[in-house]
Every structure is written in C-alpha cells, then in structure tokens.
Amino acid sequence: MKATLITDGAMLEAIAPEWEALWRRGGGTTPFSSPAWLLPWWEVFRPGDLFTVAVRHDDRLVALAPLYREDGPWGRRLLPLGISVSDYSDVLIDPEHREAAGAALLALLHDHQPLWDLWSAEEAPPDAAVLTLLWGASWTATIEPHSACPVLMLPRTVADLPAAIPARTMRKWRMAQNRVGRRAWRIERAEPAHWRPLLDDLFALHQQRWISRNQPGVLADADVRRFHQRAVPRLLEAGLLRLSRLSIDDRVAGAYYGFDQGLRSFAYIGGFDPAFAFESPGTILLGAAIEAATHRGASEFHFLRGQELYKYGWGAVDRWNQRLTMKDRA
C-alpha cells in the first residue's frame, strides 16, 4: 500500500477516472462521494487547503479520503469535501482491501499530524466506511448523532406501493393524479443535451416558494447555483441524476432534483409554483420518483436531511447520520 497526499486541485481532477472506478466497484454508497459531485464542489467553493489522501495497491486506487483543511476558530480541522451541500459524506475504500487500505490512510494522516489538529467526519451515514476504520492506540475518536435522514423502504413491485405508503398519502397522490389528468400535462427529464432549462426552472420555482415565506432558500446563493450548473452535466454523464419538470397547460408547475444509484434513490430538492397548489405538483413529482425507483428495483428511497412532516407522510423512518471526530495523540 502506498498513500499520498493530494494538495492540488489539478491533481485531484487528474485522478477522476480512477476515483469513479473505485466509487463504482463498491467504495461509495451515495452520489455525494462521487467525483461528479465533489469535483464541481471544489472548483466552486475551495473553503480551505486541499488535504485529500489517496491510497494505491499495485498502482490501483483502493482508498480515497476527499478532505480539505480549514484553519478557523476550532483550529486546523480536516473536513469532507462537499460539506454543506452534501447530505452524506464518507471516505472510499475498496471492499477487497478495506483493512490494509484503511490502515495506510490513517498512517499517512498520522505522519502529517503536525499539519492538522482534528478530523471531523461530518454527516457519515450508518454504513459509512469511515465508521469502520480501525483506530490504533494513538487515536482518540468520538461519535455522536448528527442529522436525521428519513428513509422509505420500497416494496418489490409498483403494485405493492399501497402497502408501503400510508393510505392518506396514497389518496392524496391519486387525487393529484386525477386533477392533473383533467389538464394537458407532462413530465420531462433532463438529458445530457437538454438540462439547462430544467435546472433554471428549478432555481426559479424554489426561489419563488421561499420568497413567499420571506426567506432566501438554499438556492439563492450564486455560488450554490454555480456549483449545480457544473455538477448537473457530470451527474447526467455518470447516470446518476433524475432532474424532472412538470408542465400543466404548457406552464411549468414543478421541478424535482434527485439521484438514482444502485438499490437507492435520493430526493435532493424541489420546487413548485404556488399557483398550482390545487394540483399538488410536488406530490406528483415525488410520487413519480418513488414509483420509478421501485420499478427499477431500488429497495430504499432516501428523503435526506431534515425532519419535515411530509417525509413521514410517505412512510419514511428516521435513519441518523453520525459525526465522527478524531484526534491523533502523537
């Protein structure tokens, strides 16, 4: 095992193909650890000094800890790339080399301990690889609950959805389908050659919704919008993105931004025009995403961070992210 420290963005971009290969062969369980998501994040935000650890075995990438170093009031903290816009974060470790690669990763961080004070693994999901690292006697590690991420367990077939989703929500969904069925409506999905109008509509709808509440909303920030503009084409190319737009009578009524990966689907953000509240465009788009996830064989639908009531209305149950904080005693 050979571990190296990557401190240059160009070097990080250069390993993108290896990074994606590691992520796809089992190193990553969510889109938030993919290069399609994290490289655009680093390009736009760069909140500190890049401090990413790469581990190779026989010249093959077998582990990656996408980190940066923040020098702030809590000292020199190592934090995950993607922080704030990511609902999950983790290190990537090849399942065939989990113990040895993890040990090499920790050894490199130990060797560079004079350069940092604390490693804070934020928003680690319950199955995160970072939670399985074998800490030696020189390390102090503490863990605490971080954020609730409600998850709906999906049935095997679409026909079984009424048994998985509470009856009240099923009635609401069917009623919304009946209401839009009386109008001229369609749902279209973003494609690699046609995504910008759908993303712009999402920005506009989301902002419209939050302005009505006298709040800016998460997409009001120019850098956040620029990040998504860079991430969307990469996510589409990687086959991860589900960006959809609902039109009713040739007017955009709602938009949905989520991800599909393996046995999981993820609902990231959405927006709708309050003028179409009667037709419930949010319910239509979310129900369509859940139905599509079930149809393709997914077993979990993740509503991601936050305990909004509508998530539990769909039958989701809390699953808690963890915050793992590590110090090297050396």
Side-chain angles (χ1 to χ4, degrees), residues 59-246:
D59 206 34
R60 186 187 196 193
L61 188 68
V62 294
L64 187 75
L67 306 172
Y68 74 95
R69 183 182 60 193
E70 173 195 78
D71 193 354
W74 292 280
R76 299 167 303 171
R77 290 194 303 167
L78 300 183
L79 294 167
L81 300 189
I83 197 169
S84 77
V85 301
S86 301
D87 291 77
Y88 298 131
S89 69
D90 198 5
V91 301
L92 303 180
I93 302 180
D94 190 320
E96 294 183 7
H97 302 279
R98 187 171 298 279
E99 185 172 338
L105 189 160
L106 293 177
L108 183 136
L109 288 175
H110 174 78
D111 292 343
H112 289 79
Q113 196 278 329
L115 301 178
W116 60 277
D117 303 313
L118 181 74
W119 177 10
S120 185
E122 308 279 303
E123 303 294 358
D127 59 350
V130 72
L131 300 178
T132 69
L133 293 176
L134 301 177
W135 309 101
S138 67
W139 293 83
T140 298
T142 59
I143 190 169
E144 60 183 338
H146 200 177
S147 300
C149 294
V151 177
L152 169 65
M153 300 305 296
L154 298 174
R156 291 188 177 183
T157 69
V158 171
D160 293 325
L161 277 174
I165 297 173
R168 182 177 179 181
T169 300
M170 283 299 303
R171 286 195 298 271
K172 181 180 178 182
W173 182 16
R174 287 168 176 158
M175 185 178 297
Q177 290 174 315
N178 289 334
R179 286 172 176 172
V180 298
R182 303 167 191 164
R183 316 275 291 273
W185 70 281
R186 63 179 178 138
I187 294 177
E188 57 184 315
R189 286 190 60 181
E191 301 291 343
H194 180 66
W195 58 268
R196 189 59 182 263
L198 278 72
L199 185 62
D200 288 343
D201 284 336
L202 171 67
F203 290 162
L205 290 169
H206 190 268
Q207 185 175 12
Q208 183 179 1
R209 176 187 177 189
W210 285 97
I211 285 176
S212 68
R213 301 182 179 183
N214 296 315
Q215 298 181 39
V218 297
L219 296 178
D221 183 83
D223 283 340
V224 172
R225 293 195 302 271
R226 192 155 58 95
F227 157 69
H228 287 293
Q229 288 162 355
R230 295 192 180 194
V232 161
R234 286 180 178 263
L235 292 164
L236 282 169
E237 184 179 359
L240 295 172
L241 187 67
R242 183 182 180 87
L243 176 59
S244 304
R245 176 172 65 184
L246 170 64

Side-chain angles (χ1 to χ4, degrees), residues 8-31:
D8 178 76
M11 294 174 60
L12 191 67
E13 179 74 43
I15 68 165
E18 297 176 273
W19 180 351
E20 181 169 355
L22 169 62
W23 174 78
R24 288 192 181 277
R25 67 176 182 265
T29 57
T30 79

Side-chain angles (χ1 to χ4, degrees), residues 44-68:
V44 171
F45 295 105
R46 297 177 181 260
D49 300 318
L50 192 62
F51 211 90
T52 292
V53 180
V55 180
R56 286 184 169 80
H57 177 257
D58 291 338
D59 206 34
R60 186 187 196 193
L61 188 68
V62 294
L64 187 75
L67 306 172
Y68 74 95

